[in-house]
Amino acid sequence: MAIFEVESGAPLMGEAVVHPAKNAVLPIIAASLLTKDTILVPEMPDLSDVRALCGLVQECGGVCQRQGAGMALSTPEPTLPEASHMMRWTRASVLIMGPLLARLGSARITMPGGCAIGQRPIDLHLKGMAALGAEIVTRQGFVELKGRLHGGVIYLDLPSVGATENIMMAAVLAEGVTRIENAAKEPEIADLAQCLNAMGAQVQGAGSGSIVIRGVRSLHGATHQPIPDRIEAGTFCCAVAVAGGNILVRGARPEHMRALLFKLQEAGMSISEFPGGLRVRGKAQWPMEIRTLSYPGFPTDLQAPMMIVACIAQGTSVFLETIFENRFMHIPELLRMGANIRVEDHVAVIEGGYPLQGASVSCPDLRSGAALILAGLAAEGVTRVEDPQGHIDRGYENFEHALTAMGAQVRRL
Ligand code: EPZ
């Protein structure tokens, strides 16, 4: 449970430090089930999604030991998680399927209910496991898989990030060669492949739409530092566009953020890049057209923060959400703050330049919650963001500290 109180104030100045990426470390935590040796992650972000997945991996015989800023992970003896002990479903829980099947020859996961942003089925994950030889039974809300895995060819109808990761992790110990076509190209996929190859796997082509994995007999330990969080970095960039200012986003990788950076420049921001990160200056001026797509298109996880930028800019902006079916839940809350937004199905039309008024708003999901805090940075009066489910702490480490370090007025009650 968290409540954030936000007030608008001076433009943001100083710097924001980017943490290792949530969506890179979660598959790596799952990958630790693939070996009895130790995977060392020198810096591991402190997020509730990380703690939840570590809890589930420990139910599977894994050991996840915090070591300073990092974590040592290993699974000497993998076991199936007790059905009754299955952690509260987090989407990332599905990622234990591939590694358990590869290491143990069987796996069990809870059938995912939907979540706030959409139904989020796992049909493509299961299509991949079946192609590798797994027998799949769904009963009493669980999915149980078993079989000795062999190579196969899988075409993903959608370039699903999780399915690509799960199939890669299943294939690394399968007998023979596996090919994934129409694979997701997100940077976190290439990062996972780099970690798996450091563990002795043979994965080629990660980051392109076609990935080839040659199965090996076993994997060993490795040290791997995951990539910085392009969504956290992008959220900081949107905060500057909303509140105005001049911020150094330390540790960001601009090459992972091209879609966002171009769109912020079109909105009138000035962006300069350098080896250690990037600098964002100015305040949103011009409207934008945003269409969320799989990487390298505009990331769906930054659609909500970017919509606040559109509220600040002058003119009419148009947003099309193509990835999830219900990812506009920040909009009713923004309307209560005086925003002028019309929604038709997956399209939102934002009339920018209407002053936002502080209000009490509720946080419907992780990225919408962060976006509502950004809205408070530009609203007249106090904005109270109620986050009873702790969504924001799932994906942002000390979000309010990062903002107050830049001069924002944000308090966690
Ligand atoms: C990952 O989720 C990220 N999560 C999400 O970030 C991100 O929004 C998403 O990729 C898209 O980039 C993690 O990496 C832990 P998908 P994932 O499978 O793997 C449909 C955040 O805020 N689909 O690429 O679940 C699905 O319903 C989170 O950090 C199927 O139809 O996303 C969705 O509409 C939110 N069948 C679309 O594909 C399947 O078998 C994209 O889903 C799998 C997915």
Side-chain angles (χ1 to χ4, degrees):
M1 168 71 185
I3 296 176
F4 298 89
E5 261 191 6
V6 193
E7 286 184 74
S8 54
L12 302 183
M13 306 300 278
E15 72 174 53
V17 179
V18 182
H19 294 94
K22 166 176 87 78
N23 294 347
V25 301
L26 291 175
I28 287 165
I29 290 168
S32 69
L33 292 166
L34 287 165
T35 174
K36 64 182 180 351
D37 294 350
T38 298
I39 308 296
L40 186 61
V41 175
E43 195 196 341
M44 175 71 82
D46 184 16
L47 302 168
S48 53
D49 265 10
V50 166
R51 290 194 291 275
L53 188 60
C54 285
L56 180 56
V57 163
Q58 281 162 334
E59 288 288 332
C60 303
V63 178
C64 307
Q65 234 152 25
R66 268 271 172 212
Q67 287 182 357
M71 188 177 280
L73 304 112
S74 63
T75 308
E77 281 299 320
T79 57
L80 280 192
E82 276 307 309
S84 56
H85 294 180
M86 295 295 274
M87 306 287 284
R88 178 184 60 78
W89 172 261
T90 63
R91 177 75 188 170
S93 309
V94 70
L95 293 174
I96 67 168
M97 174 163 43
L100 271 184
L101 202 43
R103 180 86 187 279
L104 204 52
S106 63
R108 174 188 295 132
I109 59 158
T110 50
M111 196 67 186
C115 70
I117 61 178
Q119 209 242 330
R120 301 183 78 181
I122 58 168
D123 57 311
L124 297 175
H125 298 244
L126 299 180
K127 176 181 181 182
M129 301 304 144
L132 299 182
E135 282 164 46
I136 302 168
V137 172
T138 54
R139 62 162 163 242
Q140 287 140 4
F142 290 100
V143 183
E144 306 197 332
L145 306 94
K146 67 177 191 301
R148 273 191 58 70
L149 299 184
H150 54 67
V153 180
I154 298 113
Y155 169 75
L156 291 180
D157 308 53
L158 280 165
S160 154
V161 171
T164 301
E165 291 166 346
N166 238 333
I167 298 164
M168 261 166 62
M169 292 191 284
V172 290
L173 294 178
E175 184 123 9
V177 179
T178 297
R179 216 168 77 232
I180 310 172
E181 295 297 348
N182 195 27
K185 303 176 184 171
E186 274 69 3
E188 292 76 22
I189 304 279
D191 195 55
L192 173 61
Q194 199 181 43
C195 179
L196 292 170
N197 286 341
M199 294 163 67
Q202 293 185 27
V203 182
Q204 264 88 35
S208 78
S210 181
I211 303 177
V212 176
I213 303 113
R214 293 185 193 308
V216 295
R217 293 187 58 74
S218 68
L219 296 183
H220 50 70
T223 296
H224 179 77
Q225 182 52 48
I227 54 175
D229 196 319
R230 60 194 170 94
I231 305 302
E232 182 190 34
T235 307
F236 293 142
C237 295
C238 291
V240 181
V242 166
N246 180 345
I247 288 292
L248 174 64
V249 185
R250 187 178 292 285
R253 298 268 292 269
E255 68 274 22
H256 293 164
M257 304 168 66
R258 288 282 163 245
L260 173 80
L261 298 180
F262 277 120
K263 283 296 170 182
L264 286 175
Q265 283 167 324
E266 285 175 24
M269 301 301 290
S270 76
I271 311 271
S272 42
E273 302 179 13
F274 57 93
L278 58 87
R279 178 170 290 283
V280 193
R281 268 180 303 133
K283 187 168 184 176
Q285 306 290 329
W286 317 122
M288 62 206 73
E289 296 222 346
I290 299 288
R291 177 190 301 261
T292 64
L293 291 168
S294 301
Y295 193 87
F298 190 91
T300 173
D301 294 347
L302 286 174
Q303 179 255 108
M306 195 64 162
M307 194 173 287
I308 315 304
V309 179
C311 290
I312 304 303
Q314 299 300 323
T316 304
S317 293
V318 180
F319 279 51
L320 172 62
E321 171 58 54
T322 76
I323 305 291
F324 289 106
E325 59 268 33
N326 184 24
R327 211 169 188 180
F328 279 160
M329 285 174 299
H330 41 291
I331 293 178
E333 305 303 314
L334 290 171
L335 295 178
R336 300 183 56 237
M337 296 177 71
N340 182 332
I341 306 175
R342 285 193 330 277
V343 177
E344 292 282 333
D345 199 16
H346 287 135
V347 177
V349 179
I350 298 100
E351 295 300 339
Y354 285 70
L356 296 176
Q357 311 291 328
S360 274
V361 293
S362 78
C363 166
D365 67 70
L366 162 57
R367 306 300 177 183
S368 297
L372 291 169
I373 289 179
L374 299 197
L377 297 180
E380 286 156 35
V382 178
T383 299
R384 191 182 156 91
V385 180
E386 307 199 351
D387 183 9
Q389 326 240 319
H391 286 299
I392 291 170
D393 290 333
R394 285 184 42 217
Y396 295 94
E397 187 173 336
N398 290 327
F399 191 52
E400 74 278 13
H401 293 154
L403 294 173
T404 50
M406 297 187 263
Q409 298 185 63
V410 184
R411 279 178 306 288
R412 179 193 291 251
L413 304 185

